[in-house]
Amino acid sequence: MFATLAPILLQATLETFAMVISALALGTAFGLPLGVLLATSGRGELFEAPLFQKSIGPIVNATRSVPFIILAVAIIPFTRLIVGTSIGTSAAIVPLTVAAIPFIARIIEGAIREVDGGLVEAAQAMGARPFQVVTKVLLPEALPGIIHGLTLTAVTLIGYSAMVGAVGAGGLGDLGIRYGYQRFRPDVMAAVVITLIVVVQMVQSLGDWMARKADKRNI
């Protein structure tokens, strides 16, 4: 029985990794600059643009407040526009990315706001431009917090990826629903749950290790 289940479980695990890694990479690509702007666009800050902050902030909060499964269904037309279909692993990456962007943006914003303001003032006193302050001071100093936040995001996306299995997105969630729940196979359900636990533990351990390496206090 295990010999029959193992290839299917491996394929589903690889699909889950593909969805999560792609969504995390795309979410970071969009969420990182957005988070930096949210953290530095207030009055008297590096990129002063209070109107931007007041208009984008509520949009970010609204997107984060929508339950993921509702978001995934609501943006099906957008998903079809992007990838040409609303089912499968590629289609699942779209709602996962949309959900990840505001989450990551707030994580980046929070991590940057934790940086000592004296470091920013010192960099400005030495003639650093705003972009240099961000790349040379804010992001390096906030890196441990950012890594912890991205690790949390990855774990959340693993849970979301299992959730989109309910709409035929593939991965471990789809395997658990189609082969476990619908076919009354508790062994498949147990295998999926155990695999998800192991994957989450691996991701969390890797993230914690990377955060410790990036923390200058541990050097």
Side-chain angles (χ1 to χ4, degrees):
M1 183 178 296
F2 178 76
T4 305
L5 178 60
I8 303 174
L9 187 62
L10 176 60
Q11 178 63 32
T13 303
L14 293 176
E15 290 175 352
T16 295
F17 272 119
M19 287 188 286
V20 171
I21 292 173
S22 298
L24 185 63
L26 291 170
T28 303
F30 289 98
L32 176 60
L34 180 58
V36 170
L37 287 174
L38 285 171
T40 60
S41 59
R43 293 189 183 278
E45 294 180 332
L46 291 174
F47 303 100
E48 185 172 349
L51 182 60
F52 168 84
Q53 193 174 60
K54 289 181 180 179
S55 58
I56 295 298
I59 296 175
V60 170
N61 293 336
T63 306
R64 290 179 61 197
S65 66
V66 178
F68 176 72
I69 192 65
I70 295 177
L71 176 67
V73 173
I75 66 170
I76 283 178
F78 178 69
T79 301
R80 287 176 178 160
L81 178 66
I82 298 297
V83 297
T85 180
S86 61
I87 59 174
T89 303
S90 298
I93 292 172
V94 177
L96 286 172
T97 301
V98 172
I101 290 172
F103 196 80
I104 292 173
R106 285 303 189 190
I107 285 171
I108 301 295
E109 179 190 11
I112 288 177
R113 290 195 182 279
E114 290 294 321
V115 176
D116 186 359
L119 296 175
V120 175
E121 293 175 0
Q124 289 177 315
M126 290 187 290
R129 296 182 178 181
F131 183 76
Q132 292 175 317
V133 173
V134 170
T135 57
K136 302 296 184 180
V137 178
L138 292 178
L139 291 180
E141 290 294 325
L143 188 57
I146 291 173
I147 293 175
H148 275 304
L150 292 180
T151 302
L152 174 62
T153 305
V155 171
T156 302
L157 289 175
I158 291 171
Y160 285 172
S161 71
M163 201 180 301
V164 291
V167 291
L172 289 167
D174 182 56
L175 176 64
I177 291 171
R178 288 196 297 120
Y179 287 84
Y181 176 74
Q182 294 180 350
R183 299 186 184 185
F184 303 100
R185 291 281 303 275
D187 57 323
V188 175
M189 291 290 289
V192 168
V193 171
I194 292 172
T195 302
L196 284 170
I197 292 173
V198 171
V199 169
V200 168
Q201 291 295 330
M202 290 173 55
V203 170
Q204 187 66 59
S205 297
L206 177 62
D208 291 342
W209 177 79
M210 293 176 64
R212 287 195 300 271
K213 287 292 184 180
D215 194 340
K216 296 179 180 179
R217 293 173 297 181
N218 296 327
I219 297 177

